[in-house]
Amino acid sequence: MKALILNCTLKKTPDRSHTEALVKSAVKEFKKLDVECELIRVVDFNILPGVDSDMGEGDDWPKIIKKIRECQIVVIGTPIWVGGESSMCQRIIERLDAMFYDKKLQDPNNGQYIFYNKVAGVVVTGNEDGAQAVHARLFMALNEFGATIPPNVGSYWVGEAGPGPSYIDGGQSSKYTQRITVLMVQNLVAMAKILEATPIQTNLSELNKLYLEE
Amino acid sequence: MKALILNCTLKKTPDRSHTEALVKSAVKEFKKLDVECELIRVVDFNILPGVDSDMGEGDDWPKIIKKIRECQIVVIGTPIWVGGESSMCQRIIERLDAMFYDKKLQDPNNGQYIFYNKVAGVVVTGNEDGAQAVHARLFMALNEFGATIPPNVGSYWVGEAGPGPSYIDGGQSSKYTQRITVLMVQNLVAMAKILEATPIQTNLSELNKLYLEE
Amino acid sequence: MKALILNCTLKKTPDRSHTEALVKSAVKEFKKLDVECELIRVVDFNILPGVDSDMGEGDDWPKIIKKIRECQIVVIGTPIWVGGESSMCQRIIERLDAMFYDKKLQDPNNGQYIFYNKVAGVVVTGNEDGAQAVHARLFMALNEFGATIPPNVGSYWVGEAGPGPSYIDGGQSSKYTQRITVLMVQNLVAMAKILEATPIQTNLSELNKLYLEE
Amino acid sequence: MKALILNCTLKKTPDRSHTEALVKSAVKEFKKLDVECELIRVVDFNILPGVDSDMGEGDDWPKIIKKIRECQIVVIGTPIWVGGESSMCQRIIERLDAMFYDKKLQDPNNGQYIFYNKVAGVVVTGNEDGAQAVHARLFMALNEFGATIPPNVGSYWVGEAGPGPSYIDGGQSSKYTQRITVLMVQNLVAMAKILEATPIQTNLSELNKLYLEE
C-alpha cells in the first residue's frame, strides 16, 4: 500500500516548511502501519498554469499524475495564506480538473475518474485561522475528483487569532493536532484496505451514455 | 438498508419546496436499489437553538437524533440563501456539535461518533450560485462528525447568474443534475454496503486516552 | 450617529455569550467616539424562517428592520459553530434577502437597498478556527445588501487548533483582538461620517429600467 | 483617476480569456466616467511563489506593486476553477500578505496598508458555480489589505449547473451581468471620488504602539 503526500508549501526544498513538519508526523504514522510513503513539494516541480493534463514543453505535471495513479492514498498538505489554501495547492486542483473531459484520466472500462477507489486526506497549517475552510474546499474538490473521504481526515494546526508562531515553533506540542493526525492516518489506511478488498463498481460510462450523450 | 433525507428548506409542509423536488428524485433512485427512505423537513420540527443534544422542553431534536441512529445513509438537502446553506441546515450542524463532548453520542466500545460507518451526501438547490460552497461546508462538517463521503455525492442545481427560476421551474430537465443525482445515490448505496460488510474499526477511545486525558 | 449591534449568539439573555463580551468592547469604543449604540441578541426575538420582509403573525423581524433603518452603522456579531456563522446569523441574512424584490426595502427615489450609505463590520468569536471564513461570507452578503465595508472591519478571536477556552476565558487579554476591534470601530465611524457628508448617489432604479425591465 | 484591473486568468496574452471579456465591459464603463484604465494579465508576468514583497531575481511582483500604488481603484478579475479563484489570483493574495510586516508597504506617516483609501471590486467568470464564494474570499482579503469595498461591487457570470459554455459564448447577453458590472463601476468611481476628497485618517501606527509594541 502506498501513500502520496503532496506538500503545497510555497518554499522549495530545502527551505523550512511548517506544513512539511506536520505531514512528516503523518508519514511516521503511515510507516507504523506498513504504508510506503512518497513526500514531495509541488513547488519543486514546474507545474505550468492551465487546465489540461499536459501543458507541453517543460511541464512537470505528468510526473505527478503518474505518482497519483500509483498510490492508494493521497494526502494534500497546504499552508494557509490570508485564509485560503496556497497557490500551489490551487494549481494542482486546476490541473486535476482535466479529468472531467480527458479520457486518459478516466478508467476505460467504467469511466471512473482517477481518484476512484483511492482515499484522500488533508493536512493544513497556518499561524492564525482558516484550516476548516481549507478542509472544506479540498474535500469538495477531492469528492468531485472521485476520491473517498474517510471520517476525520482533516488534520491541522493553527495558532490563536492574529500573528504568531507557525507550526514548527508553536504547534508541535499540540495534543489535539497529534491526535487528529494519527486518527487521519488510521482512517485513511483502514478505508484504503476496505476499498482494495471491495472497490466501488459504479459505472460512469453507462451514466454518461444515459444523461450526457443523447 | 435505510436512508434518512433531511430537507433543510425554510418552508413547512405542504408548501412548495424546490429542494424537496430534487431530493425526491434521489428517493426514487434509492428505491430502485431497495433502500428504504425517510424524508423529513427539519422546519416541521421544533429544533431549539443551542449545541446540546437535548435543549429541554419542547425540543424535537432528540427525535431526529433517533432517526440518524437508525439509518446507514444520511442525505442533507438544503436551499441556498445569499450563497450559503439555510439556517435550518446550520441549526442541525450546531446540534450535531454535541457529539464531541456528549458520551451518549459516541459508541461506548470505541468512542466513535454517531456518523461513523454511515455514509453521507449533499443535495443543494438555488436559483443562481453557491452549490459547491455549500457542498464544501457540509462535507467538512460531516467529515468531522465521522461520516464517510463516497465519491461524487454532491448533487445540485443552480441556474445562471442573477435572479431566475428555481429548480422546479428551471432545473428538472437538467441532464447534468439528473446524472449527478443518480451517481450520488449509486455511490452512497455502494459504500454503505461496503461499510456494512467491513466497518471501520478505529478506536477513538484509545486515542483519547493517549492524547486528551493525560 | 447610531450603531446597531446584532449579536447572533444561540444563547438568550441573560446567558453568558462570548460574542457579547467581544461586541461589548466594541461598544465601549463606539461610545468614546460619541456614537450611540443599541446591542441586541437576535435569539431574544422571534425571527420566523422565510425570506419575506414580514412572515406574519408572531414575526419579530419587522422590529429589527426598523432598527436597521434608523442607524448608520451595523455590526454583526456571531459565534462560529463547526466553521460557520450561527443559524441565527444565517436567519437574518435570509430575511434581508427580501430587499431584492420588496420595494418597501428600497429607496423610492433611486432604488437603493436599505444598507446603502450605511457601513458594516463583523465580529466573530470561536474557540478554534473559522473567523476569516465567516468574515468572508458576511462581507459578501453585506456587500450585496448595499453596505459599504470600510478597511479592517473584521474583528475576531479564536483560540489554537482544537477544543479549548472560548473568548471570555481565553481571549480577553489578546492584544491582537483588542487592536483589531478598536481599528474596526475607528474605521466604521470614520466612513459613516464620510458617507453622511457625501452619500453615494448611484441610481439603481435607472439601471433596473435599462437592464431588468425591458 | 486611475483603475488597475488585474486579470487572473491562467491564459497568457493573446489567448482567449473569458474573464478578460467581462472585465473589458467594465473598462468601457470606467472610460465613460473618465477613469483611466490599465488592464493586465497577471500570468504574463513572472510572479514568484512566496510572501515577501520582493522574491529576488526575475521576480516581476515589484512592477505590479508599483501599479497598485499609482491607482485609486483596483479590480480583481478571476476565473473559477473547481469552485475557487485561480492560482494566479491566490498568488497575488500571497504576495500582498507582505504588507502586514514590510514597512515599505505601509504609509510612513500613519502605518496604513497600501490599499487604504483605495477602493476595490471583484469580477468573476465561470461556467457553472462559485462566484459568490470567490467574491466572499476576495472581499475578506481586500478588507484585510485596507481596501474599502463600496456597495454592489461583485460582478460575475456563471452558467447553469454542470459543464456548459463559458462567458464569451454563454454570458455576454446576460442583462443581470451587464447591470451588476455597470453598478460596480459606478459605485467604485463614486466611492473613489469620495475618498479622494475626504480620506480615512485612521492612525495605525498609534494603534500598533498601544497594542503591539509594549
Side-chain angles (χ1 to χ4, degrees), chain A residues 116 132 143-144 149-150 152 175 179 187 198 202 208 211 214, chain B residues 116 132 143-144 149-150 152 175 179 187 194 202 208 211 214:
Chain A
Y116 259 77
Q132 289 176 314
N143 180 267
E144 291 221 345
I149 315 290
N152 300 140
K175 290 293 178 191
R179 174 186 173 278
N187 282 344
T198 49
T202 316
N208 294 346
Y211 293 104
E214 11 184 85
Chain B
Y116 259 77
Q132 290 175 313
N143 179 267
E144 290 221 346
I149 316 290
N152 301 141
K175 291 294 177 190
R179 176 187 173 277
N187 282 344
I194 289 170
T202 317
N208 293 347
Y211 293 103
E214 6 187 271

PDB file of all heavy atoms in Angstrom, chain A residues 116 132 143-144 149-150 152 175 179 187 198 202 208 211 214, chain B residues 116 132 143-144 149-150 152 175 179 187 194 202 208 211 214:
ATOM      1  N   TYR A 116     -11.024   7.516  -8.159  1.00  0.00           N
ATOM      2  CA  TYR A 116     -11.963   6.472  -7.704  1.00  0.00           C
ATOM      3  C   TYR A 116     -11.194   5.324  -7.036  1.00  0.00           C
ATOM      4  O   TYR A 116     -10.158   4.879  -7.526  1.00  0.00           O
ATOM      5  CB  TYR A 116     -12.782   5.938  -8.878  1.00  0.00           C
ATOM      6  CG  TYR A 116     -14.182   6.527  -8.912  1.00  0.00           C
ATOM      7  CD1 TYR A 116     -14.383   7.815  -9.380  1.00  0.00           C
ATOM      8  CD2 TYR A 116     -15.287   5.821  -8.442  1.00  0.00           C
ATOM      9  CE1 TYR A 116     -15.661   8.381  -9.396  1.00  0.00           C
ATOM     10  CE2 TYR A 116     -16.572   6.377  -8.456  1.00  0.00           C
ATOM     11  CZ  TYR A 116     -16.743   7.651  -8.933  1.00  0.00           C
ATOM     12  OH  TYR A 116     -18.013   8.197  -8.934  1.00  0.00           O
ATOM     13  N   GLN A 132     -10.333  24.925   8.710  1.00  0.00           N
ATOM     14  CA  GLN A 132     -11.557  24.202   8.354  1.00  0.00           C
ATOM     15  C   GLN A 132     -12.097  24.663   7.010  1.00  0.00           C
ATOM     16  O   GLN A 132     -12.655  23.867   6.248  1.00  0.00           O
ATOM     17  CB  GLN A 132     -12.610  24.371   9.454  1.00  0.00           C
ATOM     18  CG  GLN A 132     -12.220  23.600  10.729  1.00  0.00           C
ATOM     19  CD  GLN A 132     -13.195  23.832  11.862  1.00  0.00           C
ATOM     20  OE1 GLN A 132     -13.571  24.966  12.135  1.00  0.00           O
ATOM     21  NE2 GLN A 132     -13.603  22.765  12.519  1.00  0.00           N
ATOM     22  N   ASN A 143     -13.811  15.215  -3.619  1.00  0.00           N
ATOM     23  CA  ASN A 143     -15.040  14.463  -3.856  1.00  0.00           C
ATOM     24  C   ASN A 143     -15.434  14.506  -5.327  1.00  0.00           C
ATOM     25  O   ASN A 143     -15.820  13.488  -5.910  1.00  0.00           O
ATOM     26  CB  ASN A 143     -16.169  15.020  -2.978  1.00  0.00           C
ATOM     27  CG  ASN A 143     -17.467  14.259  -3.215  1.00  0.00           C
ATOM     28  OD1 ASN A 143     -18.296  14.647  -4.028  1.00  0.00           O
ATOM     29  ND2 ASN A 143     -17.615  13.132  -2.555  1.00  0.00           N
ATOM     30  N   GLU A 144     -15.316  15.671  -5.937  1.00  0.00           N
ATOM     31  CA  GLU A 144     -15.610  15.774  -7.378  1.00  0.00           C
ATOM     32  C   GLU A 144     -14.642  14.919  -8.192  1.00  0.00           C
ATOM     33  O   GLU A 144     -15.013  14.359  -9.220  1.00  0.00           O
ATOM     34  CB  GLU A 144     -15.502  17.227  -7.842  1.00  0.00           C
ATOM     35  CG  GLU A 144     -16.583  18.120  -7.299  1.00  0.00           C
ATOM     36  CD  GLU A 144     -17.098  19.090  -8.359  1.00  0.00           C
ATOM     37  OE1 GLU A 144     -16.447  19.259  -9.400  1.00  0.00           O
ATOM     38  OE2 GLU A 144     -18.165  19.674  -8.125  1.00  0.00           O
ATOM     39  N   ILE A 149     -13.624  10.119   1.009  1.00  0.00           N
ATOM     40  CA  ILE A 149     -13.142  10.849   2.189  1.00  0.00           C
ATOM     41  C   ILE A 149     -13.569  10.059   3.430  1.00  0.00           C
ATOM     42  O   ILE A 149     -14.741  10.099   3.811  1.00  0.00           O
ATOM     43  CB  ILE A 149     -13.740  12.271   2.258  1.00  0.00           C
ATOM     44  CG1 ILE A 149     -13.709  12.991   0.896  1.00  0.00           C
ATOM     45  CG2 ILE A 149     -13.059  13.095   3.343  1.00  0.00           C
ATOM     46  CD1 ILE A 149     -12.354  13.382   0.408  1.00  0.00           C
ATOM     47  N   PRO A 150     -12.637   9.342   4.054  1.00  0.00           N
ATOM     48  CA  PRO A 150     -12.985   8.608   5.273  1.00  0.00           C
ATOM     49  C   PRO A 150     -13.270   9.594   6.417  1.00  0.00           C
ATOM     50  O   PRO A 150     -12.978  10.781   6.286  1.00  0.00           O
ATOM     51  CB  PRO A 150     -11.723   7.793   5.580  1.00  0.00           C
ATOM     52  CG  PRO A 150     -10.835   7.916   4.380  1.00  0.00           C
ATOM     53  CD  PRO A 150     -11.216   9.193   3.703  1.00  0.00           C
ATOM     54  N   ASN A 152     -12.944  11.896   9.666  1.00  0.00           N
ATOM     55  CA  ASN A 152     -11.886  12.551  10.457  1.00  0.00           C
ATOM     56  C   ASN A 152     -10.521  12.518   9.791  1.00  0.00           C
ATOM     57  O   ASN A 152      -9.518  12.111  10.387  1.00  0.00           O
ATOM     58  CB  ASN A 152     -11.795  11.902  11.861  1.00  0.00           C
ATOM     59  CG  ASN A 152     -13.090  12.003  12.649  1.00  0.00           C
ATOM     60  OD1 ASN A 152     -13.494  11.079  13.340  1.00  0.00           O
ATOM     61  ND2 ASN A 152     -13.782  13.126  12.528  1.00  0.00           N
ATOM     62  N   LYS A 175      -1.505  18.437  21.573  1.00  0.00           N
ATOM     63  CA  LYS A 175      -2.067  17.082  21.677  1.00  0.00           C
ATOM     64  C   LYS A 175      -3.226  16.913  20.693  1.00  0.00           C
ATOM     65  O   LYS A 175      -3.428  15.842  20.127  1.00  0.00           O
ATOM     66  CB  LYS A 175      -2.594  16.844  23.103  1.00  0.00           C
ATOM     67  CG  LYS A 175      -1.497  16.741  24.156  1.00  0.00           C
ATOM     68  CD  LYS A 175      -0.670  15.489  23.941  1.00  0.00           C
ATOM     69  CE  LYS A 175       0.465  15.377  24.931  1.00  0.00           C
ATOM     70  NZ  LYS A 175       1.407  14.300  24.551  1.00  0.00           N
ATOM     71  N   ARG A 179      -3.314  14.032  17.894  1.00  0.00           N
ATOM     72  CA  ARG A 179      -4.407  13.054  17.885  1.00  0.00           C
ATOM     73  C   ARG A 179      -5.112  13.019  16.525  1.00  0.00           C
ATOM     74  O   ARG A 179      -5.341  11.955  15.962  1.00  0.00           O
ATOM     75  CB  ARG A 179      -5.423  13.405  18.974  1.00  0.00           C
ATOM     76  CG  ARG A 179      -6.684  12.535  18.970  1.00  0.00           C
ATOM     77  CD  ARG A 179      -7.686  13.053  19.987  1.00  0.00           C
ATOM     78  NE  ARG A 179      -8.964  12.359  19.917  1.00  0.00           N
ATOM     79  CZ  ARG A 179      -9.929  12.645  19.037  1.00  0.00           C
ATOM     80  NH1 ARG A 179      -9.748  13.579  18.137  1.00  0.00           N
ATOM     81  NH2 ARG A 179     -11.072  11.965  19.075  1.00  0.00           N
ATOM     82  N   ASN A 187      -7.608   6.159   9.777  1.00  0.00           N
ATOM     83  CA  ASN A 187      -8.823   6.050   8.974  1.00  0.00           C
ATOM     84  C   ASN A 187      -8.517   5.963   7.483  1.00  0.00           C
ATOM     85  O   ASN A 187      -9.211   5.268   6.736  1.00  0.00           O
ATOM     86  CB  ASN A 187      -9.776   7.210   9.273  1.00  0.00           C
ATOM     87  CG  ASN A 187     -10.534   6.991  10.576  1.00  0.00           C
ATOM     88  OD1 ASN A 187     -10.578   5.873  11.100  1.00  0.00           O
ATOM     89  ND2 ASN A 187     -11.118   8.042  11.122  1.00  0.00           N
ATOM     90  N   THR A 198     -12.828  -4.421  -1.562  1.00  0.00           N
ATOM     91  CA  THR A 198     -14.153  -4.323  -2.187  1.00  0.00           C
ATOM     92  C   THR A 198     -14.336  -2.952  -2.837  1.00  0.00           C
ATOM     93  O   THR A 198     -14.951  -2.062  -2.265  1.00  0.00           O
ATOM     94  CB  THR A 198     -15.277  -4.523  -1.132  1.00  0.00           C
ATOM     95  OG1 THR A 198     -14.985  -3.670  -0.004  1.00  0.00           O
ATOM     96  CG2 THR A 198     -15.387  -5.950  -0.689  1.00  0.00           C
ATOM     97  N   THR A 202     -19.266   1.480  -9.436  1.00  0.00           N
ATOM     98  CA  THR A 202     -20.164   2.343 -10.224  1.00  0.00           C
ATOM     99  C   THR A 202     -19.657   2.551 -11.650  1.00  0.00           C
ATOM    100  O   THR A 202     -18.492   2.828 -11.861  1.00  0.00           O
ATOM    101  CB  THR A 202     -20.283   3.729  -9.551  1.00  0.00           C
ATOM    102  OG1 THR A 202     -20.439   3.543  -8.158  1.00  0.00           O
ATOM    103  CG2 THR A 202     -21.457   4.499 -10.119  1.00  0.00           C
ATOM    104  N   ASN A 208     -23.057   8.253 -18.316  1.00  0.00           N
ATOM    105  CA  ASN A 208     -22.799   9.279 -19.322  1.00  0.00           C
ATOM    106  C   ASN A 208     -23.603   9.032 -20.584  1.00  0.00           C
ATOM    107  O   ASN A 208     -24.145   9.954 -21.188  1.00  0.00           O
ATOM    108  CB  ASN A 208     -21.304   9.338 -19.653  1.00  0.00           C
ATOM    109  CG  ASN A 208     -20.490   9.814 -18.463  1.00  0.00           C
ATOM    110  OD1 ASN A 208     -21.043  10.336 -17.483  1.00  0.00           O
ATOM    111  ND2 ASN A 208     -19.179   9.635 -18.528  1.00  0.00           N
ATOM    112  N   TYR A 211     -27.188  10.105 -19.811  1.00  0.00           N
ATOM    113  CA  TYR A 211     -27.507  11.500 -19.497  1.00  0.00           C
ATOM    114  C   TYR A 211     -26.740  12.539 -20.303  1.00  0.00           C
ATOM    115  O   TYR A 211     -27.146  13.682 -20.376  1.00  0.00           O
ATOM    116  CB  TYR A 211     -27.278  11.755 -18.006  1.00  0.00           C
ATOM    117  CG  TYR A 211     -28.243  10.998 -17.148  1.00  0.00           C
ATOM    118  CD1 TYR A 211     -27.839   9.864 -16.466  1.00  0.00           C
ATOM    119  CD2 TYR A 211     -29.577  11.406 -17.055  1.00  0.00           C
ATOM    120  CE1 TYR A 211     -28.740   9.157 -15.677  1.00  0.00           C
ATOM    121  CE2 TYR A 211     -30.475  10.697 -16.283  1.00  0.00           C
ATOM    122  CZ  TYR A 211     -30.054   9.569 -15.597  1.00  0.00           C
ATOM    123  OH  TYR A 211     -30.945   8.887 -14.836  1.00  0.00           O
ATOM    124  N   GLU A 214     -26.993  11.886 -25.281  1.00  0.00           N
ATOM    125  CA  GLU A 214     -28.149  11.691 -26.169  1.00  0.00           C
ATOM    126  C   GLU A 214     -28.216  12.795 -27.223  1.00  0.00           C
ATOM    127  O   GLU A 214     -27.774  13.885 -27.028  1.00  0.00           O
ATOM    128  CB  GLU A 214     -29.461  11.670 -25.413  1.00  0.00           C
ATOM    129  CG  GLU A 214     -29.435  12.093 -23.967  1.00  0.00           C
ATOM    130  CD  GLU A 214     -30.798  11.906 -23.347  1.00  0.00           C
ATOM    131  OE1 GLU A 214     -31.101  10.801 -22.887  1.00  0.00           O
ATOM    132  OE2 GLU A 214     -31.563  12.862 -23.379  1.00  0.00           O
TER     133      GLU A 214
ATOM    134  N   TYR B 116     -20.018   7.516  12.385  1.00  0.00           N
ATOM    135  CA  TYR B 116     -19.037   6.503  11.943  1.00  0.00           C
ATOM    136  C   TYR B 116     -19.752   5.326  11.290  1.00  0.00           C
ATOM    137  O   TYR B 116     -20.778   4.852  11.766  1.00  0.00           O
ATOM    138  CB  TYR B 116     -18.203   6.008  13.129  1.00  0.00           C
ATOM    139  CG  TYR B 116     -16.832   6.662  13.154  1.00  0.00           C
ATOM    140  CD1 TYR B 116     -16.677   7.959  13.600  1.00  0.00           C
ATOM    141  CD2 TYR B 116     -15.687   5.997  12.698  1.00  0.00           C
ATOM    142  CE1 TYR B 116     -15.430   8.581  13.607  1.00  0.00           C
ATOM    143  CE2 TYR B 116     -14.436   6.606  12.696  1.00  0.00           C
ATOM    144  CZ  TYR B 116     -14.324   7.898  13.149  1.00  0.00           C
ATOM    145  OH  TYR B 116     -13.089   8.511  13.143  1.00  0.00           O
ATOM    146  N   GLN B 132     -21.421  24.569  -4.804  1.00  0.00           N
ATOM    147  CA  GLN B 132     -20.166  23.912  -4.430  1.00  0.00           C
ATOM    148  C   GLN B 132     -19.649  24.428  -3.087  1.00  0.00           C
ATOM    149  O   GLN B 132     -19.054  23.675  -2.311  1.00  0.00           O
ATOM    150  CB  GLN B 132     -19.125  24.104  -5.533  1.00  0.00           C
ATOM    151  CG  GLN B 132     -19.486  23.298  -6.781  1.00  0.00           C
ATOM    152  CD  GLN B 132     -18.538  23.565  -7.931  1.00  0.00           C
ATOM    153  OE1 GLN B 132     -18.234  24.712  -8.235  1.00  0.00           O
ATOM    154  NE2 GLN B 132     -18.072  22.516  -8.576  1.00  0.00           N
ATOM    155  N   ASN B 143     -17.553  15.238   7.704  1.00  0.00           N
ATOM    156  CA  ASN B 143     -16.301  14.533   7.949  1.00  0.00           C
ATOM    157  C   ASN B 143     -15.909  14.617   9.416  1.00  0.00           C
ATOM    158  O   ASN B 143     -15.489  13.630  10.026  1.00  0.00           O
ATOM    159  CB  ASN B 143     -15.195  15.123   7.071  1.00  0.00           C
ATOM    160  CG  ASN B 143     -13.869  14.428   7.315  1.00  0.00           C
ATOM    161  OD1 ASN B 143     -13.072  14.877   8.125  1.00  0.00           O
ATOM    162  ND2 ASN B 143     -13.660  13.301   6.674  1.00  0.00           N
ATOM    163  N   GLU B 144     -16.087  15.792  10.015  1.00  0.00           N
ATOM    164  CA  GLU B 144     -15.789  15.936  11.448  1.00  0.00           C
ATOM    165  C   GLU B 144     -16.726  15.056  12.286  1.00  0.00           C
ATOM    166  O   GLU B 144     -16.339  14.524  13.312  1.00  0.00           O
ATOM    167  CB  GLU B 144     -15.958  17.387  11.885  1.00  0.00           C
ATOM    168  CG  GLU B 144     -14.892  18.320  11.345  1.00  0.00           C
ATOM    169  CD  GLU B 144     -14.434  19.325  12.384  1.00  0.00           C
ATOM    170  OE1 GLU B 144     -15.104  19.478  13.420  1.00  0.00           O
ATOM    171  OE2 GLU B 144     -13.383  19.945  12.154  1.00  0.00           O
ATOM    172  N   ILE B 149     -17.530  10.060   3.173  1.00  0.00           N
ATOM    173  CA  ILE B 149     -18.039  10.744   1.979  1.00  0.00           C
ATOM    174  C   ILE B 149     -17.574   9.951   0.756  1.00  0.00           C
ATOM    175  O   ILE B 149     -16.413  10.027   0.373  1.00  0.00           O
ATOM    176  CB  ILE B 149     -17.490  12.191   1.889  1.00  0.00           C
ATOM    177  CG1 ILE B 149     -17.544  12.932   3.235  1.00  0.00           C
ATOM    178  CG2 ILE B 149     -18.212  12.972   0.793  1.00  0.00           C
ATOM    179  CD1 ILE B 149     -18.910  13.285   3.720  1.00  0.00           C
ATOM    180  N   PRO B 150     -18.469   9.181   0.139  1.00  0.00           N
ATOM    181  CA  PRO B 150     -18.103   8.446  -1.079  1.00  0.00           C
ATOM    182  C   PRO B 150     -17.851   9.431  -2.227  1.00  0.00           C
ATOM    183  O   PRO B 150     -18.174  10.615  -2.104  1.00  0.00           O
ATOM    184  CB  PRO B 150     -19.331   7.581  -1.370  1.00  0.00           C
ATOM    185  CG  PRO B 150     -20.221   7.682  -0.191  1.00  0.00           C
ATOM    186  CD  PRO B 150     -19.886   8.977   0.478  1.00  0.00           C
ATOM    187  N   ASN B 152     -18.268  11.648  -5.544  1.00  0.00           N
ATOM    188  CA  ASN B 152     -19.358  12.253  -6.335  1.00  0.00           C
ATOM    189  C   ASN B 152     -20.723  12.182  -5.659  1.00  0.00           C
ATOM    190  O   ASN B 152     -21.704  11.727  -6.242  1.00  0.00           O
ATOM    191  CB  ASN B 152     -19.428  11.580  -7.719  1.00  0.00           C
ATOM    192  CG  ASN B 152     -18.130  11.710  -8.510  1.00  0.00           C
ATOM    193  OD1 ASN B 152     -17.694  10.786  -9.190  1.00  0.00           O
ATOM    194  ND2 ASN B 152     -17.480  12.857  -8.415  1.00  0.00           N
ATOM    195  N   LYS B 175     -29.962  17.484 -17.534  1.00  0.00           N
ATOM    196  CA  LYS B 175     -29.345  16.163 -17.612  1.00  0.00           C
ATOM    197  C   LYS B 175     -28.187  16.069 -16.620  1.00  0.00           C
ATOM    198  O   LYS B 175     -27.922  15.011 -16.041  1.00  0.00           O
ATOM    199  CB  LYS B 175     -28.805  15.925 -19.032  1.00  0.00           C
ATOM    200  CG  LYS B 175     -29.895  15.764 -20.076  1.00  0.00           C
ATOM    201  CD  LYS B 175     -30.685  14.498 -19.836  1.00  0.00           C
ATOM    202  CE  LYS B 175     -31.821  14.347 -20.828  1.00  0.00           C
ATOM    203  NZ  LYS B 175     -32.718  13.244 -20.447  1.00  0.00           N
ATOM    204  N   ARG B 179     -27.983  13.234 -13.789  1.00  0.00           N
ATOM    205  CA  ARG B 179     -26.851  12.313 -13.751  1.00  0.00           C
ATOM    206  C   ARG B 179     -26.142  12.322 -12.393  1.00  0.00           C
ATOM    207  O   ARG B 179     -25.870  11.276 -11.812  1.00  0.00           O
ATOM    208  CB  ARG B 179     -25.839  12.685 -14.846  1.00  0.00           C
ATOM    209  CG  ARG B 179     -24.563  11.850 -14.832  1.00  0.00           C
ATOM    210  CD  ARG B 179     -23.567  12.414 -15.838  1.00  0.00           C
ATOM    211  NE  ARG B 179     -22.276  11.771 -15.776  1.00  0.00           N
ATOM    212  CZ  ARG B 179     -21.321  12.104 -14.904  1.00  0.00           C
ATOM    213  NH1 ARG B 179     -21.527  13.040 -14.012  1.00  0.00           N
ATOM    214  NH2 ARG B 179     -20.156  11.466 -14.930  1.00  0.00           N
ATOM    215  N   ASN B 187     -23.376   5.697  -5.524  1.00  0.00           N
ATOM    216  CA  ASN B 187     -22.155   5.655  -4.719  1.00  0.00           C
ATOM    217  C   ASN B 187     -22.445   5.585  -3.226  1.00  0.00           C
ATOM    218  O   ASN B 187     -21.725   4.922  -2.473  1.00  0.00           O
ATOM    219  CB  ASN B 187     -21.257   6.848  -5.050  1.00  0.00           C
ATOM    220  CG  ASN B 187     -20.493   6.639  -6.349  1.00  0.00           C
ATOM    221  OD1 ASN B 187     -20.403   5.519  -6.844  1.00  0.00           O
ATOM    222  ND2 ASN B 187     -19.953   7.714  -6.910  1.00  0.00           N
ATOM    223  N   ILE B 194     -20.554  -1.602   1.479  1.00  0.00           N
ATOM    224  CA  ILE B 194     -19.155  -1.939   1.789  1.00  0.00           C
ATOM    225  C   ILE B 194     -18.883  -1.767   3.284  1.00  0.00           C
ATOM    226  O   ILE B 194     -18.301  -2.638   3.935  1.00  0.00           O
ATOM    227  CB  ILE B 194     -18.200  -1.051   0.948  1.00  0.00           C
ATOM    228  CG1 ILE B 194     -18.239  -1.472  -0.533  1.00  0.00           C
ATOM    229  CG2 ILE B 194     -16.774  -1.113   1.491  1.00  0.00           C
ATOM    230  CD1 ILE B 194     -17.531  -0.506  -1.487  1.00  0.00           C
ATOM    231  N   THR B 202     -11.556   1.859  13.758  1.00  0.00           N
ATOM    232  CA  THR B 202     -10.703   2.768  14.535  1.00  0.00           C
ATOM    233  C   THR B 202     -11.209   2.968  15.964  1.00  0.00           C
ATOM    234  O   THR B 202     -12.390   3.201  16.178  1.00  0.00           O
ATOM    235  CB  THR B 202     -10.644   4.150  13.853  1.00  0.00           C
ATOM    236  OG1 THR B 202     -10.494   3.949  12.454  1.00  0.00           O
ATOM    237  CG2 THR B 202      -9.506   4.971  14.387  1.00  0.00           C
ATOM    238  N   ASN B 208      -8.055   8.921  22.531  1.00  0.00           N
ATOM    239  CA  ASN B 208      -8.353   9.962  23.517  1.00  0.00           C
ATOM    240  C   ASN B 208      -7.527   9.761  24.775  1.00  0.00           C
ATOM    241  O   ASN B 208      -7.027  10.715  25.366  1.00  0.00           O
ATOM    242  CB  ASN B 208      -9.847   9.965  23.849  1.00  0.00           C
ATOM    243  CG  ASN B 208     -10.676  10.392  22.649  1.00  0.00           C
ATOM    244  OD1 ASN B 208     -10.141  10.910  21.669  1.00  0.00           O
ATOM    245  ND2 ASN B 208     -11.979  10.162  22.706  1.00  0.00           N
ATOM    246  N   TYR B 211      -3.984  10.964  23.996  1.00  0.00           N
ATOM    247  CA  TYR B 211      -3.723  12.370  23.658  1.00  0.00           C
ATOM    248  C   TYR B 211      -4.530  13.394  24.439  1.00  0.00           C
ATOM    249  O   TYR B 211      -4.168  14.551  24.491  1.00  0.00           O
ATOM    250  CB  TYR B 211      -3.965  12.586  22.164  1.00  0.00           C
ATOM    251  CG  TYR B 211      -2.969  11.858  21.310  1.00  0.00           C
ATOM    252  CD1 TYR B 211      -3.304  10.688  20.654  1.00  0.00           C
ATOM    253  CD2 TYR B 211      -1.654  12.318  21.208  1.00  0.00           C
ATOM    254  CE1 TYR B 211      -2.374  10.006  19.878  1.00  0.00           C
ATOM    255  CE2 TYR B 211      -0.724  11.647  20.440  1.00  0.00           C
ATOM    256  CZ  TYR B 211      -1.092  10.490  19.774  1.00  0.00           C
ATOM    257  OH  TYR B 211      -0.169   9.829  19.025  1.00  0.00           O
ATOM    258  N   GLU B 214      -4.278  12.892  29.461  1.00  0.00           N
ATOM    259  CA  GLU B 214      -3.126  12.780  30.364  1.00  0.00           C
ATOM    260  C   GLU B 214      -3.172  13.884  31.428  1.00  0.00           C
ATOM    261  O   GLU B 214      -3.660  14.951  31.210  1.00  0.00           O
ATOM    262  CB  GLU B 214      -1.803  12.885  29.619  1.00  0.00           C
ATOM    263  CG  GLU B 214      -1.848  13.209  28.164  1.00  0.00           C
ATOM    264  CD  GLU B 214      -0.472  13.112  27.557  1.00  0.00           C
ATOM    265  OE1 GLU B 214       0.221  14.126  27.573  1.00  0.00           O
ATOM    266  OE2 GLU B 214      -0.099  12.011  27.104  1.00  0.00           O
TER     267      GLU B 214
END
